[in-house]
Amino acid sequence: MADIEKKGNGFVMIQDGQEVGKVTYMPNEEGVLMIDHTFVAESMRGQKAGERLVERVVELARDTGAKIDPVCPFANALFQRKPEYADVLADQ
């Protein structure tokens, strides 16, 4: 199982000392976290690695009271499939 660590404005997934996934966000002027990029190495695809990374941003938003604008196509699709993320979804 890969570990996920906070790094700057995002989270990275580390397995065997290698970065195998990453999600980044940028807070806008209203404090909304815009998820702008999600990447998962080929070796991690099909293992819900991207979902785990986005989930960490959702947890961060819940902990800090922030909202999320999922600009990244992967994150946007995930938010559409997961109604449980509605509490942190920024008004569109």
Side-chain angles (χ1 to χ4, degrees), residues 37-70:
H37 181 70
T38 307
F39 166 78
V40 175
E42 193 70 39
S43 64
M44 297 300 290
R45 303 234 168 118
Q47 300 177 48
K48 298 190 182 276
E51 189 172 322
R52 288 180 51 214
L53 286 161
V54 171
E55 177 68 28
R56 292 298 293 268
V57 182
V58 170
E59 291 170 4
L60 175 69
R62 287 179 176 145
D63 289 347
T64 62
K67 296 293 185 181
I68 295 174
D69 181 1

